[in-house]
Amino acid sequence: MRIIVARDYDEVSYKGANLIAAQIMLKPNSVMGFATGSTPEGTYQELIRRYEKGDISFKDVVSFNLDEYVGLEKDDPQSYHHYMMHNLHNFTDINKQNIYLPDGKAADLLKECKEYDSKIESYGGIDYQLLGIGTNGHIGFNEPAETISNDTMVISLAQSTIDANKRFFEKEEDVPRQALTMGVGTIFRARKVLMLVTGEGKAEILEKVLFGDITPQVPASLLRMHPDFTIIADEAAAALVKNRI
Ligand code: PGA
């Protein structure tokens, strides 16, 4: 595990984009796992800038996403499909055939989960997985639980996640109660994992992830066992750990 402490959100975004751009330069047909949420937005802007400068091309990149809400149409402004198109994919040369997210409107959600994992496998697995982290330690929508989830599955959102995400919706009742998410196993099988952690609101959970028990009650803590796991945290998020790393 490596931990990089950056000054602030902008520097996290800059350094995050550096690592992702290096991955794409070294392997132009990388299978990328992307994340949503407010944390990676700056990193996506940096990546678009590097694409515009001609430093990297997404032409051969394959993109998978961690998760999607159940019940939202792809073009719903709150869907993660919409988020990815408007925060990254519409501004690069990625082949639109190479963009995959779980379909939250699938008639058979369990079948959709199985097919999503098969699709990832058909590309040889994920080379590089980008993650944020929930204040409860979730990765994707893998909420604190008794057991480790393996494959992509249908989950019920924790109340703490509904509370955290309601800021994106008009009212709390509009937040979908279910989502499809890659399992911890799916994430763990990625060859490299990069987690971005920003803001003082993430300081307590980052301390638990780094120094607490490795437990499915703090899903991100499991990544301490991953062979190639990097965290970039800003000083605010690293406030409780910076003297110990
Ligand atoms: P955030 O969400 O980037 O909006 O804080 C992260 C997450 O819930 O995984």
Side-chain angles (χ1 to χ4, degrees), residues 20-57:
I20 295 169
Q23 169 68 30
I24 294 172
M25 268 184 226
L26 291 170
K27 188 178 180 209
N29 62 345
S30 288
V31 180
M32 301 298 298
F34 286 123
T36 53
S38 43
T39 309
E41 283 173 4
T43 303
Y44 294 148
Q45 279 165 25
E46 278 293 330
L47 286 172
I48 292 166
R49 215 165 288 146
R50 280 145 212 238
Y51 161 70
E52 286 169 347
K53 271 172 57 193
D55 290 351
I56 47 169
S57 167

Side-chain angles (χ1 to χ4, degrees), residues 112-132:
E112 173 64 16
C113 292
K114 277 208 164 58
E115 286 177 359
Y116 197 66
D117 281 326
S118 304
K119 187 58 84 179
I120 293 172
E121 284 309 307
S122 75
Y123 281 103
I126 289 172
D127 289 309
Y128 203 97
Q129 179 66 53
L130 176 65
L131 296 177

Side-chain angles (χ1 to χ4, degrees), residues 9 35-41 66-67 80 83 131-141 161 164-165 167-168 196 198 202:
Y9 179 87
T36 53
S38 43
T39 309
E41 283 173 4
L66 283 168
D67 45 18
Y80 288 164
Y83 171 105
L131 296 177
I133 180 173
T135 47
N136 64 2
H138 75 193
I139 46 177
F141 273 129
T161 300
N165 288 8
R167 69 189 194 277
F168 298 114
L196 307 179
T198 60
K202 300 280 172 73

